[in-house]
Amino acid sequence: MECIRVTLEKPRKYSYEILIGEDIVDRKGWITTVKNHADRYVIITDSNVNPLYGKMVRARLGETALPVDIVEIPAGESSKSLNTVLDVARQLVRLKVSRKSLLIALGGGVVGDVAGFIASIYMRSIPYVQIPTTLLAQVDSSVGGKTGVDLPEGKNLLGTFYQPKAVYIDLSFLKTLSDRDFANGLAEIIKYGIIGDNNLFEFLESESDGIKKRNPSLMKSLVGRSCKIKADIVEMDEKELGLRRILNFGHTLGHALEAATDYGLSHGEAVSIGMVGAAKISHRLDHLDGASCQRIVDLIKDYHLPTKIPAGLKTAQIMGFMATDKKAVGGQVHFVLVKKIGAPFVTPDIPSGVVEGTIEELQG
Ligand code: GLY
C-alpha cells in the first residue's frame, strides 16, 4: 500500500493521508485507520455505487460496533444541486448525526463534491473521508478539498475548500468502470504528465498497452504518481490563489466545450480536446516546440480520447462560453500553457485571434 501525505499550513498544521492499494477497503486493517473522530458513520453514496459496494463498506464499518447508515442519492450530475444538499442534510438530522459522526463519501466526483460540501456546512462542519470509486475521482476530485454543487447558471458555483480526514483509494473499484469512465480519468492523468512530470508522460507513452488493459501494478503507479503531483500542488496553494491554477491545463477550452455540448462530452473528453488546444496555442506562441506538441496530441489519441472539436459547434459560441467561465479573472480568460512537457505557466495575455485560429484548426 502506498501512502502520500498532504500537509497544509493553517493556523495549526493539518495533514491527511491518501492511502492507495488493491482491496484496501475490504481489509480488516482499514477499519482501524477510519475509527478516529466517530461515534457513528454515515455513508453517502449514489444509486450506481450503492448496489456494487455499499454493502461491503457498511459491513466493514459495522465491525467497529458503531452505528452505520447509508444515504443514497440518485446517480448523475443532476444530484450536484442544493436540493440534494437539503435532502441529505435533513436525513442526517433525522439520523441524529452530530459533529462526532463521520461522513463517508463513497462514489465518483458528484458524490465526493456533494458529501464534502455537506460535511463543510452541516452543523458548521463535521469530519468526512473520501472513498473514490472512479479513476477521475481517485486522481483528481477526492484530493485537495474542493467541494460544491452546481447552480442553473453554471457548474460548481457554490462550494467550499474543505479537506477530508483521509482519502482511501481502492484500485479494485476500477474493475467495474466502463471504458468511457476509465478514459475520463486517464485524461486527467495525461494532464499530470504534461504539467507535472516528464517521466510520467514517458511512462504513459511506453506503457500504454498495459495501462489500457488496467494492469494493476501500472495503475497503482499511475494513480500514486498523479495523487503525489496533485498533493504537492495543493500543499503549496490550497485555495487556488496561484499555483493550483496549473491543474486547469486543458480546462479553459474543456469547460467551454462541456457547456457548448450541453455536457454531451464527458469531462475527460472535453479536457482532452482542451489540452490539444492549449498545446497548440503554446506552439503558435512559440513557447512549445512542434515535436512536443505532436507528442501531446499522439498520446491523447493513443488513449482513444478525442483531439478534435465535435462538428456543429461554432467558434463564436465556444469563445462565448470561455468568457463566462467562473475561472475568468476580471473578465479575462486565463490559459495554462506549457514551455515544455512538465513546465506549465498561467497567462491571460493571449491574442483572441490565436485562440480563434486554434479552435478553427481543431474543428478541421
Ligand atoms: N480539479 C482541479 C483542482 O482540484 O484544483
Side-chain angles (χ1 to χ4, degrees):
M1 188 189 306
E2 188 174 346
C3 176
I4 296 165
R5 182 166 285 279
V6 183
T7 302
L8 301 167
E9 297 295 337
K10 300 225 165 188
R12 73 191 156 74
K13 211 167 182 173
Y14 173 72
S15 68
Y16 61 94
E17 287 174 344
I18 304 165
L19 296 172
I20 305 167
E22 196 80 25
D23 292 317
I24 55 173
V25 173
D26 201 19
R27 283 191 211 158
K28 276 203 186 302
W30 171 66
I31 210 66
T32 57
T33 77
V34 114
K35 245 178 175 167
N36 54 348
H37 312 292
D39 63 7
R40 64 179 305 147
Y41 304 105
V42 180
I43 300 164
I44 299 183
T45 189
D46 73 21
S47 49
N48 282 344
V49 176
N50 195 14
L52 291 170
Y53 304 118
K55 216 167 151 187
M56 180 270 283
V57 177
R58 183 184 202 148
R60 278 286 166 255
L61 290 166
E63 288 165 21
T64 59
L66 294 172
V68 188
D69 288 288
I70 297 190
V71 172
E72 184 186 288
I73 63 175
E77 184 74 24
S78 60
S79 280
K80 250 182 92 165
S81 71
L82 272 181
N83 283 343
T84 311
V85 171
L86 293 177
D87 183 46
V88 173
R90 294 181 72 188
Q91 290 190 61
L92 298 183
V93 175
R94 286 196 290 275
L95 290 168
K96 301 199 183 341
V97 168
S98 77
R99 281 193 182 153
K100 288 193 185 143
S101 313
L102 183 71
L103 296 191
I104 303 197
L106 174 68
V110 170
V111 166
D113 283 4
V114 170
F117 186 53
I118 293 168
S120 72
I121 56 174
Y122 181 79
M123 293 191 170
R124 298 205 173 90
S125 82
I126 64 171
Y128 78 115
V129 298
Q130 293 269 14
I131 306 181
T133 56
T134 64
L135 186 56
L136 183 64
Q138 293 186 343
V139 296
D140 184 17
S141 55
S142 68
V143 177
K146 277 190 180 175
T147 82
V149 294
D150 303 335
L151 289 178
E153 289 78 7
K155 282 182 78 170
N156 297 321
L157 287 177
L158 289 181
T160 54
F161 289 99
Y162 185 61
Q163 302 294 335
K165 292 288 172 203
V167 182
Y168 301 103
I169 300 184
D170 193 326
L171 298 166
S172 57
F173 293 141
L174 299 180
K175 289 179 197 146
T176 50
L177 277 190
S178 69
D179 287 342
R180 194 173 185 213
D181 281 337
F182 187 69
N184 211 11
L186 281 173
E188 293 288 346
I189 296 174
I190 292 171
K191 178 194 80 179
Y192 290 122
I194 299 170
I195 62 162
D197 183 354
N198 187 39
N199 291 334
L200 173 58
F201 191 92
E202 284 172 1
F203 183 78
L204 283 160
E205 286 179 323
S206 60
E207 301 293 346
S208 78
D209 288 345
I211 292 168
K212 283 185 274 188
K213 289 186 188 130
R214 310 184 193 189
N215 172 295
S217 71
L218 294 176
M219 288 317 297
K220 186 169 178 209
S221 171
L222 273 190
V223 172
R225 290 160 87 163
S226 300
C227 288
K228 177 77 179 110
I229 292 171
K230 179 147 189 191
D232 286 346
I233 293 169
V234 170
E235 278 186 356
M236 284 185 270
D237 179 22
E238 182 191 1
K239 301 274 167 72
E240 200 171 312
L241 301 173
L243 177 73
R244 187 165 179 170
R245 283 157 65 187
I246 65 170
L247 292 173
N248 295 323
F249 180 76
H251 286 57
T252 309
L253 177 56
H255 282 156
L257 292 173
E258 278 185 279
T261 57
D262 206 10
Y263 299 93
L265 282 176
S266 72
H267 181 69
E269 289 161 351
V271 165
S272 296
I273 303 165
M275 291 194 289
V276 173
K280 288 195 180 276
I281 292 171
S282 305
H283 178 53
R284 279 178 183 237
L285 295 175
D286 281 333
H287 296 297
L288 182 70
D289 63 81
S292 301
C293 181
Q294 193 55 47
R295 275 177 75 197
I296 291 174
V297 179
D298 290 344
L299 187 68
I300 292 170
K301 269 192 193 149
D302 188 18
Y303 283 94
H304 309 304
L305 283 157
T307 55
K308 292 277 181 194
I309 292 173
L313 295 184
K314 301 242 176 339
T315 306
Q317 186 192 4
I318 299 168
M319 295 290 285
F321 276 111
M322 272 197 285
T324 54
D325 191 274
K326 78 174 187 309
K327 291 196 168 89
V329 181
Q332 244 181 338
V333 180
H334 282 61
F335 266 89
V336 185
L337 302 183
V338 274
K339 293 188 177 155
K340 57 182 186 167
I341 292 167
F345 66 102
V346 183
T347 177
D349 295 324
I350 301 186
S352 60
V354 172
V355 180
E356 278 168 11
T358 305
I359 291 175
E360 275 153 24
E361 184 186 340
L362 298 184
Q363 283 162 329

